[in-house]
Amino acid sequence: MSSPSQPGCPITDLVSQFIQARAITKTQYQELTTLVLADGTIDESERKQVNRLFDAIQLGRVKILD
């Protein structure tokens, strides 16, 4: 199984999709959160992907939609 920092990982794929689309809905955000927390912990690779998305949101590259 791929680690979350590698292409092909569901978390990496989702984050990349959101950044490419320049948007994320609140439902998609909840789904991402559920996926990240599914095993009860957040490892370093998952944290990096989440931070990548948060950085894009803060820089205005990704908008949060209702």
Side-chain angles (χ1 to χ4, degrees), residues 3-35:
S3 75
S5 63
Q6 297 174 343
C9 170
I11 294 169
T12 300
D13 292 346
L14 282 174
V15 170
S16 294
Q17 286 174 17
F18 300 145
I19 291 173
Q20 185 176 13
R22 301 180 59 95
I24 183 172
T25 66
K26 290 181 181 180
T27 300
Q28 289 170 323
Y29 178 80
Q30 289 172 341
E31 290 170 358
L32 178 63
T33 301
T34 299
L35 183 61

